[in-house]
Amino acid sequence: MLKKEETIIILDFGSQYTQLIARRVRESKVYCEILPFNADPDSFKDKNLKGIILSGGPSNVFDEGAPICDKRVFDLNVPILGICYGLQLLAFLFGGKVERSKSREYGKAIIKIEEHKDLFRGFKRKLQVWMSHGDFVSKLPRGYRKLASSENIPFAAVKNPKKKIFGVQFHPEVAHTQNGIKIIQNFLYDICECHGEWTPKSFIDSTVKEIKSRVGKEKVVLGLSGGVDSSVCAVLVNKALGRQLSCIFVDNGLLRKNEAQQVKEAFKDFDMNIVFVDASEKFLSRLKGIIDPEEKRRIIGRTFIEVFEEEANKIGEVKFLAQGTLYPDVIESTSFKGPSATIKTHHNVGGLPAEMNLQLIEPLRELFKDEVRRIGKELKLPNNILGRHPFPGPGLAVRILGEITKERLDILKEADDIFIQELKSSKYYQKVWQAFCVLLPVQSVGVMGDERTYENVVALRAVTSLDGMTADWAHLPYGLVGKISNRIINEVKGINRVVYDISSKPPATIEWE
């Protein structure tokens, strides 16, 4: 980001809602970053810092080892909002008193607002909020005063008017708090005096300038999969560099039906330098006889690296690798659990080796998935790319349980294509997070045309989710599931039974392998 971008820093104390706070700030057109609770305040100095939010968290402030931020945070002369644990921390650090509740308060509560300005400008006297705490502030520090209370706690919201420090015991970021987004916006606009200028267009403009400045006249390579992240990344970098960017699309033979052709069609109007490589025979020959899912992944990863390197070397001297790392990936490695240098292999292009000696360009690393889609829309990417369901790096290899053969791949591709066709025609495709077929390593007895059959079983999997971290099985209409099953059995030779997976995550995972 440009250094002049208005920035809100969110210090993460381990709340399950921290990313939701960031989403609410971003939705209000203000840029924000999530940092671990122990972040060095000196790291904020180069930013146009407008305010700080202290997240909630599962700890008790008086417990040994409880997360406590550097007190220099409070000397930065910017407004601060403490949420739940963040409020308790404010009281604890500045001479107030925090006590354990007789019973944990979790769920809806009514607060009575006593001061209708600042945080609560435009609110009525009573407000339904969402509580989630086992402790409460029983005595305020000097300089603080009450803004709201509830039946169970004396200080549901407080402020220090001199230092512009505010705290709420409830969670304004969750949907269960009525008009909670207005509380956050009152903090952003009225208290922090933000202007709300962070938009897809402003992001694109500033990012294009940064990429041009950093890369100069050097060459950049990017692994294009056709998924949302790599596609948006490719178009954004192409907007900055044009023919200096070379995109490599590797067809490993494990893609969905007609996928390579669909990707070619999607990018035909973008004047991009895309190299399409058909390496399907190489991948399938190396996967012959392999059953273990982790071994499948290792083989696919190594082969991808080999093919990618071969093509990258043909381009000439390349100094940069662009990839579509997103903000949740970054947060995972620098979270409440502590800073970490670990980068998961699926976050980069197949786990490219260090000896390639390429500098990373990750223009989307500040964005959530929904923001990436908005950037893609601004860049005029087609809906069939932006609306695509997530697809695993190893492709259909992890949706074929057991050995991978061309025959089994063809069976799965046909079944999966029917499933997706019917979801789209029934308008359910965009209602689910992810949907796909899994070819099982079992055969079952069936009857077709008065003849006994002994053929494959395919499982349908469709889930609803916000971020893929947790998921519930999608409650598709029986009629739709029946139509899909009927079509697959009638049209796909080699399948005589269809089952529907009704497992949630956890305890199951979304993918089967």
Side-chain angles (χ1 to χ4, degrees):
M1 299 299 303
L2 295 176
K3 290 183 180 180
K4 293 298 181 182
E5 191 80 59
E6 292 181 335
T7 301
I8 297 291
I9 293 295
I10 301 170
L11 295 182
D12 180 18
F13 292 87
S15 172
Q16 62 181 317
Y17 301 130
T18 301
Q19 288 196 33
L20 191 53
I21 299 171
R23 285 176 179 273
R24 297 294 180 250
V25 175
R26 301 277 188 91
E27 287 167 3
S28 303
K29 299 182 179 180
V30 177
Y31 176 67
C32 68
E33 294 180 12
I34 298 174
L35 298 177
F37 71 90
N38 54 359
D40 185 348
D42 288 342
S43 66
F44 310 163
K45 287 184 177 178
D46 289 336
K47 303 180 185 299
N48 182 9
L49 185 64
K50 303 296 287 185
I52 296 171
I53 297 177
L54 311 178
S55 84
S59 303
N60 306 108
V61 290
F62 30 72
D63 284 351
E64 185 177 351
I68 295 177
C69 61
D70 191 316
K71 288 193 74 171
R72 289 180 297 151
V73 165
F74 303 100
D75 298 327
L76 294 173
N77 199 32
V78 295
I80 293 174
L81 172 62
I83 296 175
C84 196
Y85 179 88
L87 164 61
Q88 296 162 16
L89 183 64
L90 291 171
F92 177 77
L93 291 177
F94 295 105
K97 188 174 181 181
V98 180
E99 296 183 23
R100 293 190 185 276
S101 303
K102 292 181 180 178
S103 60
R104 177 177 167 83
E105 188 174 26
Y106 183 86
K108 295 177 182 177
I110 301 297
I111 65 168
K112 295 180 180 178
I113 299 170
E114 299 185 10
E115 190 172 299
H116 294 77
K117 58 182 182 180
D118 297 326
L119 282 183
F120 297 114
R121 181 182 59 80
F123 283 81
K124 296 180 180 178
R125 178 167 169 73
K126 292 185 178 181
L127 179 69
Q128 179 182 290
V129 300
W130 184 261
M131 296 284 190
S132 178
H133 64 95
D135 308 319
F136 70 99
V137 177
S138 59
K139 179 184 175 184
L140 291 180
R142 180 176 297 178
Y144 285 74
R145 69 172 183 248
K146 177 168 61 174
L147 295 182
S149 61
S150 75
E151 185 177 339
N152 296 320
I153 55 174
F155 305 110
V158 306
K159 82 170 181 179
N160 181 323
K162 185 176 180 181
K163 294 188 174 182
K164 289 190 175 182
I165 297 177
F166 297 77
V168 294
Q169 184 57 70
F170 56 91
H171 289 272
E173 70 273 22
V174 304
H176 305 292
T177 293
Q178 290 180 347
N179 219 4
I181 185 67
K182 180 169 173 55
I183 295 173
I184 292 173
Q185 289 175 346
N186 282 349
F187 177 70
L188 297 175
Y189 293 124
D190 292 4
I191 298 167
C192 298
E193 299 181 355
C194 294
H195 294 90
E197 297 172 345
W198 196 71
T199 63
K201 186 178 185 306
S202 71
F203 174 85
I204 292 168
D205 291 345
S206 62
T207 304
V208 164
K209 289 177 183 176
E210 285 185 357
I211 292 172
K212 284 181 176 179
S213 174
R214 183 181 173 197
V215 174
K217 296 183 179 180
E218 301 295 341
K219 293 180 180 179
V220 180
V221 67
L222 178 147
L224 180 64
S225 70
V228 177
D229 306 340
S230 72
S231 297
V232 173
C233 182
V235 174
L236 183 57
V237 176
N238 184 69
K239 183 177 178 68
L241 303 176
R243 289 288 164 169
Q244 290 172 248
L245 170 68
S246 295
C247 299
I248 299 174
F249 180 93
V250 177
D251 184 351
N252 56 14
L254 305 168
L255 306 176
R256 289 165 287 199
K257 184 178 178 181
N258 299 326
E259 190 160 11
Q261 187 57 43
Q262 289 169 5
V263 172
K264 288 181 182 179
E265 184 69 21
F267 288 95
K268 68 178 183 180
D269 296 327
F270 284 93
D271 190 26
M272 293 172 61
N273 183 20
I274 305 177
V275 178
F276 287 89
V277 185
D278 185 354
S280 53
E281 288 187 11
K282 180 178 287 189
F283 279 86
L284 293 183
S285 65
R286 294 182 181 182
L287 289 167
K288 186 176 181 179
I290 304 299
I291 294 175
D292 179 72
E294 285 306 310
E295 184 61 20
K296 289 179 186 177
R297 285 185 171 88
R298 283 191 288 270
I299 290 170
I300 293 166
R302 287 196 299 265
T303 307
F304 180 89
I305 290 167
E306 180 184 314
V307 174
F308 191 90
E309 279 190 293
E310 286 175 0
E311 294 303 321
N313 288 335
K314 294 177 185 177
I315 297 169
E317 187 176 351
V318 176
K319 286 198 174 181
F320 293 91
L321 168 69
Q323 60 186 29
T325 305
L326 301 193
Y327 201 37
D329 303 335
V330 178
I331 295 168
E332 266 186 15
S333 60
T334 56
S335 66
F336 170 75
K337 298 172 186 175
S340 168
T342 302
I343 300 176
K344 297 180 182 178
T345 54
H346 71 269
H347 291 172
N348 59 30
V349 185
L352 292 173
E355 56 263 29
M356 286 192 75
N357 198 29
L358 299 176
Q359 298 179 49
L360 282 179
I361 296 175
E362 298 174 309
L364 309 180
R365 65 182 282 114
E366 300 162 340
L367 304 180
F368 292 105
K369 193 79 167 188
D370 54 335
E371 293 171 329
V372 172
R373 287 193 167 100
R374 289 201 290 272
I375 298 297
K377 186 175 182 180
E378 183 74 20
L379 291 167
K380 303 293 191 288
L381 266 162
N383 289 332
N384 65 324
I385 291 288
L386 295 180
R388 275 184 54 167
H389 289 176
F391 189 63
L396 299 181
V398 292
R399 294 177 181 175
I400 293 177
L401 276 56
E403 184 180 5
I404 299 165
T405 65
K406 188 175 187 309
E407 179 188 10
R408 300 191 79 205
L409 269 169
D410 289 342
I411 289 172
L412 181 58
K413 287 180 180 181
E414 292 299 327
D416 191 74
D417 187 53
I418 290 170
F419 188 16
I420 300 305
Q421 280 180 30
E422 291 299 332
L423 286 177
K424 287 181 175 179
S425 64
S426 64
K427 310 299 184 185
Y428 270 88
Y429 184 80
Q430 298 299 341
K431 296 179 182 179
V432 299
W433 166 267
Q434 195 171 5
F436 53 90
C437 289
V438 181
L439 189 62
L440 305 187
V442 295
Q443 291 182 307
S444 72
V445 175
V447 178
M448 288 185 174
D450 296 327
E451 292 184 4
R452 181 181 183 275
T453 62
Y454 193 61
E455 294 181 333
N456 294 284
V457 180
V458 72
L460 306 180
R461 180 70 159 146
V463 298
T464 56
S465 178
L466 291 175
D467 53 16
M469 300 301 292
T470 61
D472 192 15
W473 60 279
H475 295 236
L476 300 178
Y478 290 156
L480 176 58
V481 175
K483 183 180 181 182
I484 293 165
S485 173
N486 191 55
R487 279 197 62 192
I488 290 174
I489 291 171
N490 285 332
E491 298 176 31
V492 184
K493 187 177 180 180
I495 294 176
N496 69 355
R497 190 178 299 270
V498 175
V499 298
Y500 189 54
D501 182 352
I502 59 169
S503 310
S504 295
K505 176 187 178 182
T509 54
I510 296 177
E511 297 285 348
W512 278 45
E513 283 192 345

Short mmCIF file of all heavy atoms in Angstrom, two decimals, residues 284 287-292 296 397 400-406 408-409 439 441 513:
data_model
loop_
_atom_site.label_atom_id
_atom_site.label_comp_id
_atom_site.label_asym_id
_atom_site.label_seq_id
_atom_site.Cartn_x
_atom_site.Cartn_y
_atom_site.Cartn_z
N LEU A 284 0.27 -38.20 -15.18
CA LEU A 284 -0.46 -39.45 -15.01
C LEU A 284 0.49 -40.65 -14.96
O LEU A 284 0.24 -41.61 -14.21
CB LEU A 284 -1.47 -39.63 -16.14
CG LEU A 284 -2.63 -38.64 -16.14
CD1 LEU A 284 -3.61 -38.96 -17.26
CD2 LEU A 284 -3.36 -38.64 -14.81
N LEU A 287 1.87 -40.89 -11.49
CA LEU A 287 0.87 -41.22 -10.47
C LEU A 287 0.37 -42.66 -10.59
O LEU A 287 -0.42 -43.11 -9.75
CB LEU A 287 -0.33 -40.26 -10.59
CG LEU A 287 -0.07 -38.82 -10.15
CD1 LEU A 287 -1.21 -37.92 -10.61
CD2 LEU A 287 0.09 -38.73 -8.63
N LYS A 288 0.84 -43.37 -11.57
CA LYS A 288 0.38 -44.74 -11.80
C LYS A 288 0.67 -45.62 -10.58
O LYS A 288 1.79 -45.68 -10.08
CB LYS A 288 1.06 -45.34 -13.03
CG LYS A 288 0.52 -46.72 -13.42
CD LYS A 288 1.17 -47.22 -14.70
CE LYS A 288 0.61 -48.59 -15.08
NZ LYS A 288 1.22 -49.09 -16.34
N GLY A 289 -0.37 -46.27 -10.08
CA GLY A 289 -0.23 -47.18 -8.95
C GLY A 289 -0.17 -46.52 -7.59
O GLY A 289 -0.10 -47.20 -6.56
N ILE A 290 -0.21 -45.19 -7.53
CA ILE A 290 -0.11 -44.47 -6.25
C ILE A 290 -1.50 -44.34 -5.62
O ILE A 290 -2.44 -43.88 -6.26
CB ILE A 290 0.51 -43.06 -6.44
CG1 ILE A 290 1.88 -43.18 -7.13
CG2 ILE A 290 0.61 -42.34 -5.11
CD1 ILE A 290 2.90 -43.97 -6.35
N ILE A 291 -1.59 -44.73 -4.35
CA ILE A 291 -2.87 -44.69 -3.64
C ILE A 291 -2.84 -43.68 -2.49
O ILE A 291 -3.83 -43.00 -2.23
CB ILE A 291 -3.22 -46.10 -3.10
CG1 ILE A 291 -3.47 -47.06 -4.27
CG2 ILE A 291 -4.44 -46.06 -2.18
CD1 ILE A 291 -3.69 -48.49 -3.85
N ASP A 292 -1.71 -43.59 -1.79
CA ASP A 292 -1.60 -42.71 -0.63
C ASP A 292 -1.78 -41.25 -1.03
O ASP A 292 -1.08 -40.74 -1.92
CB ASP A 292 -0.23 -42.89 0.03
CG ASP A 292 -0.06 -41.97 1.23
OD1 ASP A 292 -0.70 -42.23 2.27
OD2 ASP A 292 0.69 -40.98 1.11
N LYS A 296 0.51 -38.74 -3.45
CA LYS A 296 -0.04 -38.09 -4.65
C LYS A 296 0.36 -36.61 -4.67
O LYS A 296 0.82 -36.09 -5.70
CB LYS A 296 -1.57 -38.19 -4.67
CG LYS A 296 -2.16 -39.55 -4.92
CD LYS A 296 -3.69 -39.44 -4.88
CE LYS A 296 -4.37 -40.79 -4.98
NZ LYS A 296 -5.84 -40.67 -4.85
N ALA A 397 -6.94 -35.32 -8.41
CA ALA A 397 -6.18 -36.41 -7.80
C ALA A 397 -6.64 -36.70 -6.38
O ALA A 397 -6.60 -37.85 -5.93
CB ALA A 397 -4.69 -36.07 -7.79
N ILE A 400 -10.25 -38.53 -6.38
CA ILE A 400 -10.30 -39.93 -6.78
C ILE A 400 -9.64 -40.71 -5.65
O ILE A 400 -8.41 -40.62 -5.48
CB ILE A 400 -9.57 -40.19 -8.11
CG1 ILE A 400 -10.32 -39.49 -9.25
CG2 ILE A 400 -9.45 -41.68 -8.39
CD1 ILE A 400 -9.63 -39.63 -10.60
N LEU A 401 -10.39 -41.41 -4.87
CA LEU A 401 -9.84 -42.17 -3.76
C LEU A 401 -9.29 -43.48 -4.32
O LEU A 401 -10.03 -44.26 -4.93
CB LEU A 401 -10.90 -42.45 -2.70
CG LEU A 401 -11.13 -41.32 -1.67
CD1 LEU A 401 -11.48 -40.01 -2.33
CD2 LEU A 401 -12.20 -41.71 -0.66
N GLY A 402 -7.99 -43.69 -4.13
CA GLY A 402 -7.35 -44.86 -4.72
C GLY A 402 -6.52 -44.46 -5.91
O GLY A 402 -6.12 -43.30 -6.07
N GLU A 403 -6.24 -45.41 -6.79
CA GLU A 403 -5.36 -45.16 -7.93
C GLU A 403 -6.01 -44.25 -8.96
O GLU A 403 -7.21 -44.30 -9.21
CB GLU A 403 -4.99 -46.49 -8.60
CG GLU A 403 -3.99 -46.33 -9.74
CD GLU A 403 -3.62 -47.64 -10.40
OE1 GLU A 403 -4.21 -48.68 -10.04
OE2 GLU A 403 -2.74 -47.61 -11.28
N ILE A 404 -5.16 -43.42 -9.56
CA ILE A 404 -5.62 -42.49 -10.59
C ILE A 404 -5.29 -43.08 -11.96
O ILE A 404 -4.13 -43.35 -12.26
CB ILE A 404 -4.94 -41.12 -10.44
CG1 ILE A 404 -5.30 -40.51 -9.09
CG2 ILE A 404 -5.35 -40.18 -11.56
CD1 ILE A 404 -4.42 -39.36 -8.70
N THR A 405 -6.32 -43.29 -12.77
CA THR A 405 -6.13 -43.73 -14.16
C THR A 405 -6.90 -42.79 -15.06
O THR A 405 -7.80 -42.06 -14.60
CB THR A 405 -6.64 -45.16 -14.36
OG1 THR A 405 -8.07 -45.17 -14.15
CG2 THR A 405 -5.98 -46.14 -13.40
N LYS A 406 -6.58 -42.80 -16.33
CA LYS A 406 -7.30 -41.94 -17.28
C LYS A 406 -8.78 -42.31 -17.30
O LYS A 406 -9.65 -41.43 -17.37
CB LYS A 406 -6.70 -42.05 -18.67
CG LYS A 406 -7.30 -41.02 -19.65
CD LYS A 406 -6.64 -41.05 -20.98
CE LYS A 406 -7.16 -39.91 -21.86
NZ LYS A 406 -8.62 -39.81 -21.94
N ARG A 408 -10.64 -43.58 -14.86
CA ARG A 408 -11.31 -43.07 -13.65
C ARG A 408 -11.42 -41.55 -13.69
O ARG A 408 -12.41 -40.98 -13.22
CB ARG A 408 -10.57 -43.53 -12.40
CG ARG A 408 -10.49 -45.05 -12.24
CD ARG A 408 -10.00 -45.46 -10.87
NE ARG A 408 -11.09 -45.36 -9.90
CZ ARG A 408 -10.91 -45.17 -8.59
NH1 ARG A 408 -9.69 -45.03 -8.11
NH2 ARG A 408 -11.94 -45.11 -7.77
N LEU A 409 -10.40 -40.87 -14.23
CA LEU A 409 -10.47 -39.42 -14.38
C LEU A 409 -11.62 -39.03 -15.28
O LEU A 409 -12.38 -38.09 -14.98
CB LEU A 409 -9.16 -38.89 -14.95
CG LEU A 409 -8.07 -38.47 -13.97
CD1 LEU A 409 -6.76 -38.24 -14.70
CD2 LEU A 409 -8.49 -37.21 -13.20
N LEU A 439 -14.92 -39.75 -6.53
CA LEU A 439 -15.03 -41.13 -7.01
C LEU A 439 -14.46 -42.06 -5.95
O LEU A 439 -13.29 -41.96 -5.58
CB LEU A 439 -14.27 -41.30 -8.32
CG LEU A 439 -14.47 -42.63 -9.06
CD1 LEU A 439 -15.93 -42.82 -9.45
CD2 LEU A 439 -13.57 -42.70 -10.29
N PRO A 441 -13.37 -45.65 -3.95
CA PRO A 441 -12.60 -46.85 -4.34
C PRO A 441 -13.39 -48.13 -4.10
O PRO A 441 -12.82 -49.16 -3.73
CB PRO A 441 -11.38 -46.77 -3.43
CG PRO A 441 -11.90 -46.14 -2.18
CD PRO A 441 -12.97 -45.17 -2.61
N GLU A 513 -9.69 -36.14 0.64
CA GLU A 513 -8.29 -36.50 0.85
C GLU A 513 -7.47 -35.23 1.09
O GLU A 513 -7.75 -34.19 0.51
CB GLU A 513 -7.71 -37.23 -0.37
CG GLU A 513 -8.15 -38.68 -0.48
CD GLU A 513 -7.33 -39.46 -1.52
OE1 GLU A 513 -6.64 -38.85 -2.35
OE2 GLU A 513 -7.41 -40.69 -1.49
#
